[in-house]
Amino acid sequence: RVHGGELVRLAKMGSCRQFVFDRTQDGVEVTGFELRNPNGYSAVLIDYGATLIAVNEVSKDGSIQNLTLGFNNIADYMKHTSYLGCTVGRVANRIAEGRFTLDGRTIQLERNMGKHHLHGGLKGFDKVMWHAEIQQDLPTPSVRFSYRSEDGAGQYPGNVDVEVIYTLDNDNVLTMEHRATTDKLTPLNLCNHAYWNLSGTASSVLDHEVQLMADSYTVTDEDSIPTGEIREVGGSVMDFRAAGVRIGDGISSLKEGPTRGYDHNWVVRQQPDNLSLTLADGTVLYRVAVVKHPASGRVMEVDSTQPGVQFYTGNWLQSPFSVHEGFCLETQHFPDSVNHPNFPSTLLQPGQLYRHITRHRFISEAPQ
């Protein structure tokens, strides 16, 4: 839901258009983009944070439901701290004490989560204006966002050129493709931070059924920093391998802990039996998750190239939203990978292309 309500009117417009979303307090124009397919789905984006602000579905009765959480004005995006729908970087998730060693040199980043570093620091990719343009040369509605992160931004080394391409196709698939290059060795771990609520209306996602294609997860300490241990999920509340597991089934045992719910990284099963799609260039995507809202019949399938997924149940959402009103499936590398040699590396070399693709497919089944 987009608080303010006016944004859903955009779903009645064309297949790909640009509009003025709002202006900042300083008078800077914030541009919006709407991608729409013939099936009644639309995705609405803004250039502040390369942010996904709405995924609208036109139901059979003609009503419009937004399946994400968002706002209808830039002031709320600039003051809210929950990263709603934005592109997160340079490094998504946590870095212990904001510190790591690179080529024998200690790098000290900003600490914006107590003594730790979270989601790129005080002014990450979510808090900047991106250049944006509609992709005219693609067969389906697409918008490309690009941004240069200067050498030393947030104390990260290297100039990093990054782009995010959002595409909505006729199969109701929303694709997010992240690309980046650097001129110095630097860690990079990008993700989108959309909060999903497939009901479109309810104030809780605890009745959603989640299946995660993951046999293990990364164990964390009291500050949600990985210890380095990768633990099997079997016999625990972290086991979402079977279909039909409700979010609310296991969350009660976590509510009194430091995370107040699910906020953990699962290791995606990147094995042949979980392969979902191979692109024409040979890029392989694996199934990450299947989420279902039984009462509406809405289903979302998530595929990605990334080795991990941070499943977060909105445990710290602030007004005007309610705790657990949305959930995130942040496809990414593992948290604090730069300090754990047994985790997949997040280091990007000069001359190397960072590429991360995630697809969300929306399906309508009979309500239960």
Side-chain angles (χ1 to χ4, degrees):
R1 283 153 311 290
V2 177
H3 279 265
E6 298 300 319
L7 210 57
V8 294
R9 295 179 185 174
L10 299 175
K12 299 179 182 179
M13 308 301 288
S15 63
C16 189
R17 77 180 189 102
Q18 178 176 326
F19 61 96
V20 177
F21 173 70
D22 201 355
R23 293 182 185 275
T24 68
Q25 189 175 12
D26 297 330
V28 177
E29 184 174 287
V30 180
T31 304
F33 299 85
E34 182 204 22
L35 309 176
R36 189 183 181 204
N37 73 11
N39 307 322
Y41 284 89
S42 66
V44 187
L45 308 137
I46 58 173
D47 53 3
Y48 179 79
T51 298
L52 176 69
I53 65 173
V55 174
N56 295 316
E57 178 203 65
V58 179
S59 302
K60 293 180 180 179
D61 63 3
S63 64
I64 300 174
Q65 302 292 341
N66 184 3
L67 309 184
T68 62
L69 306 187
F71 297 110
N72 71 338
N73 65 84
I74 191 59
D76 282 335
Y77 277 106
M78 295 182 80
K79 71 182 181 183
H80 211 268
T81 58
S82 295
Y83 302 91
L84 269 71
C86 66
T87 298
V88 173
R90 289 190 188 189
V91 173
N93 221 307
R94 291 132 174 106
I95 295 178
E97 299 186 357
R99 188 184 303 128
F100 59 92
T101 301
L102 198 62
D103 282 343
R105 182 167 60 100
T106 298
I107 305 293
Q108 180 62 64
L109 304 175
E110 301 165 343
R111 304 183 190 191
N112 61 320
M113 190 192 78
K115 64 181 181 179
H116 306 297
H117 179 87
L118 176 69
H119 290 335
L122 298 173
K123 191 176 181 180
F125 291 172
D126 60 299
K127 298 179 180 67
V128 299
M129 297 294 296
W130 294 57
H131 174 74
E133 58 185 352
I134 294 173
Q135 297 290 91
Q136 304 285 358
D137 57 340
L138 296 180
T140 52
S142 302
V143 177
R144 174 182 175 269
F145 296 90
S146 58
Y147 178 71
R148 164 162 276 208
S149 178
E150 301 285 348
D151 186 13
Q155 310 306 316
Y156 283 100
N159 295 298
V160 172
D161 292 306
V162 58
E163 65 180 32
V164 185
I165 301 172
Y166 291 87
T167 304
L168 180 65
D169 69 20
N170 291 351
D171 293 322
N172 305 331
V173 175
L174 176 65
T175 300
M176 308 172 186
E177 180 171 353
H178 301 75
R179 298 178 181 179
T181 58
T182 182
D183 60 5
K184 291 182 182 178
L185 181 66
T186 191
L188 193 74
N189 185 23
L190 308 178
C191 82
N192 178 272
H193 208 289
Y195 287 77
W196 302 98
N197 185 324
L198 301 187
S199 75
T201 56
S203 60
S204 173
V205 294
L206 297 185
D207 62 343
H208 285 48
E209 297 175 355
V210 175
Q211 183 179 19
L212 297 178
M213 283 55 181
D215 300 316
S216 56
Y217 69 101
T218 51
V219 178
T220 56
D221 63 17
E222 292 296 304
D223 287 342
S224 296
I225 301 296
T227 64
E229 178 188 357
I230 297 176
R231 184 180 297 174
E232 297 291 319
V233 299
S236 75
V237 295
M238 313 301 279
D239 192 351
F240 284 88
R241 290 175 295 182
V245 180
R246 294 171 64 255
I247 293 176
D249 289 346
I251 202 171
S252 59
S253 64
L254 301 172
K255 279 185 171 292
E256 300 304 318
T259 60
R260 296 173 56 178
Y262 290 105
D263 190 9
H264 302 78
N265 171 69
W266 274 258
V267 179
V268 177
R269 189 168 66 251
Q270 293 190 330
Q271 299 296 330
D273 65 341
N274 193 42
L275 190 151
S276 180
L277 177 70
T278 302
L279 303 182
D281 63 2
T283 301
V284 173
L285 283 79
Y286 295 90
R287 178 59 45 87
V288 174
V290 179
V291 184
K292 183 175 183 179
H293 181 246
S296 68
R298 295 189 184 96
V299 178
M300 181 176 74
E301 299 175 344
V302 182
D303 301 329
S304 182
T305 57
Q306 295 299 88
V309 58
Q310 187 86 7
F311 176 43
Y312 173 52
T313 48
N315 315 320
W316 302 92
L317 275 171
Q318 302 168 347
S319 177
F321 304 105
S322 304
V323 171
H324 307 317
E325 190 169 345
F327 67 89
C328 302
L329 289 167
E330 305 162 54
T331 53
Q332 57 189 257
H333 273 64
F334 304 170
D336 199 30
S337 288
V338 74
N339 288 312
H340 294 280
N342 60 316
F343 290 177
S345 176
T346 55
L347 294 181
L348 183 66
Q349 302 272 356
Q352 180 184 5
L353 175 66
Y354 172 98
R355 190 172 183 225
H356 160 194
I357 301 174
T358 296
R359 291 164 39 104
H360 298 77
R361 179 174 179 236
F362 302 95
I363 304 167
S364 294
E365 296 182 347
Q368 297 179 4

